[in-house]
Amino acid sequence: MNSIPCMIMRGGTSKGPFFLAEDLPQEKAARDKALLAIMGSPDGRQIDGIGGAHPLTSKVAIVSRSERDGVDVDYLFLQVTPDTGMISDAQNCGNMLAGVGPFAIERGLVRAQNIETTVRVYMVNSDSRADLIVQTPDGQVIYKGDAHIDGVPKSHAPILQNYFGTAGAQCGALLPTGQVIDVIDGTECTLVDNGMPSVLLRAADFGLSGYESLEDLENNEELKVRLEFIRLQAGTLMNLGDVSEKTIPKMCLIAPPRQGGIISTRTFIPRRVHQAVGVLAAASDAAGCMIIGSVAEGMAVFEDNNPCRVNVEHPSGALTVELEWEGGTVIRTALLRTARKIMDGTVFL
Ligand code: NQM
């Protein structure tokens, strides 16, 4: 196999190649070898491939027709760590998910309806479901539109995401340890999983304001060491096992909101700082902040509505999340994203 059909898409605030599963080598070792060649890893610059030299632009989506009842396509997300070449399926990605709807329609896996098309997705990484509503006037996917998401210049066609069964999808429960607060290395944390295992920490507990620039945080080696120490223990407590080679849980420093949101965030994913916030990470952070007694108590600002719509503030704006609660857990999470087809063609190994 020397070349593979590939569509490069921006999904939300992430970007990467989208493949049909049938176009890739079927055996995992051969598939990963091909993906490393395509992305240009291991190499921090990914100079010999199409990876974007940052975890947010070194992502791969693999899509196939689903054999599950009531589902159109299966979506497997792979995170390629640029410098090490580690390929991990341990986490899901709600940003790349935005591209899965248009891609499935463009590749003929789902027939477009007039005006809009619902694509029902099984997310392999988190063993859960999402429905994507894609704009398809005249039975064609459109990417142009007037929906804006922070972290992406200009406006595009909206893609609505409705997630089901995200609470505890990877850790077994919304609060994996059964506690609202755990103390790790003397630091209070709220460990939460509403689709993305996340560790909520008060920025103030690290001597930070929580509004630092990405550069300041990326250059704070002492902070990174402390966060990684906490993360490794949190991973075990969250039923994720040894997370030293995994990109979960995410580490989220929180501070009081400054733009009318529920909370202000700075997220380590887990070693680089997110330029915005992950989609499912925001869903987890918002859920954690709404739980009485969490580390966000006295800091988080939200109304007691159900469903409840809140803005999670991040370094490039805010991400709106709608959460529906039942019996103390989240039963539906809804978000707005956009996506754009950037290139469709053949990638060479
Ligand atoms: O949380 C980055 C992203 C993500 C993940 C990361 C994501 C999500 O922004 O659903 O989308 O946390 O590694 O693409």
Side-chain angles (χ1 to χ4, degrees):
M1 201 178 264
N2 289 324
S3 63
I4 298 177
C6 161
M7 187 181 283
I8 298 178
M9 301 187 87
R10 173 185 62 76
T13 51
S14 285
K15 183 165 63 177
F18 284 64
F19 299 98
L20 286 179
E22 67 197 38
D23 290 336
L24 287 166
Q26 297 306 297
E27 201 261 319
K28 185 169 174 291
R31 180 201 72 189
D32 287 358
K33 192 168 168 222
L35 290 177
L36 288 181
I38 290 167
M39 301 303 277
S41 280
D43 168 26
R45 294 169 65 218
Q46 295 184 318
I47 196 67
D48 206 28
I50 61 171
H54 189 283
L56 297 176
T57 49
S58 184
K59 301 185 161 223
V60 173
I62 302 176
V63 181
S64 54
R65 203 181 292 279
S66 186
E67 289 176 0
R68 291 166 185 269
D69 285 344
V71 176
D72 299 308
V73 294
D74 291 348
Y75 155 56
L76 172 68
F77 167 71
L78 297 176
Q79 176 72 60
V80 181
T81 303
D83 54 349
T84 64
M86 182 178 83
I87 298 187
S88 174
D89 64 0
Q91 76 163 85
N92 192 357
C93 177
N95 272 308
M96 290 291 276
L97 172 70
V100 171
F103 179 75
I105 297 169
E106 296 242 19
R107 285 285 189 263
L109 302 184
V110 176
R111 186 192 296 266
Q113 308 299 311
N114 198 10
I115 304 184
E116 57 185 34
T117 304
T118 299
V119 179
R120 300 165 302 172
V121 184
Y122 170 70
M123 302 180 291
V124 177
N125 307 77
S126 55
D127 183 26
S128 57
R129 270 276 315 278
D131 286 351
L132 308 174
I133 302 173
V134 182
Q135 301 305 301
T136 51
D138 308 322
Q140 302 268 335
V141 177
I142 55 157
Y143 296 94
K144 289 191 176 3
D146 56 11
H148 173 80
I149 57 171
D150 286 339
V152 177
K154 303 190 189 152
S155 298
H156 300 85
I159 296 174
L160 290 173
Q161 302 183 326
N162 264 310
Y163 293 90
F164 308 97
T166 46
Q170 289 187 256
C171 302
L174 184 64
L175 292 173
T177 62
Q179 310 207 96
V180 186
I181 289 198
D182 287 273
V183 180
I184 304 177
D185 192 29
T187 308
E188 288 191 334
C189 328
T190 293
L191 310 179
V192 59
D193 172 20
N194 185 28
M196 183 64 72
S198 298
V199 180
L200 300 183
L201 302 146
R202 295 183 199 99
D205 289 346
F206 294 81
L208 300 168
S209 68
Y211 312 118
E212 285 78 8
S213 68
L214 300 181
E215 294 70 31
D216 282 354
L217 293 172
E218 293 255 359
N219 292 331
N220 189 337
E221 288 305 325
E222 199 183 317
L223 171 68
K224 284 174 153 179
V225 168
R226 196 168 153 202
L227 286 179
E228 184 63 5
F229 188 70
I230 294 174
R231 194 181 76 83
L232 295 178
Q233 294 173 68
T236 310
L237 291 173
M238 296 175 86
N239 309 315
L240 295 168
D242 175 7
V243 295
S244 52
E245 297 284 306
K246 295 181 183 164
T247 53
I248 48 172
K250 309 292 177 185
M251 305 302 282
C252 180
L253 298 175
I254 59 168
R258 294 196 299 184
Q259 301 148 20
I262 179 172
I263 202 78
S264 175
T265 62
R266 295 289 184 273
T267 313
F268 285 77
I269 59 170
R271 292 173 194 95
R272 302 291 303 270
V273 184
H274 204 302
Q275 291 150 358
V277 64
V279 168
L280 289 158
S284 291
D285 299 343
C289 287
M290 289 178 73
I291 298 173
I292 294 166
S294 79
V295 290
E297 180 97 46
M299 207 188 288
V301 180
F302 59 95
E303 291 185 6
D304 192 14
N305 299 329
N306 191 17
C308 184
R309 188 172 291 187
V310 293
N311 289 333
V312 175
E313 299 178 9
H314 57 69
S316 42
L319 198 153
T320 307
V321 183
E322 185 174 286
L323 298 176
E324 190 172 335
W325 294 80
E326 197 176 287
T329 195
V330 178
I331 55 162
R332 184 181 62 87
T333 300
L335 292 139
L336 171 71
R337 297 279 84 189
T338 65
R340 189 170 91 80
K341 175 169 67 169
I342 297 170
M343 194 269 341
D344 192 6
T346 304
V347 66
F348 293 88
L349 271 61

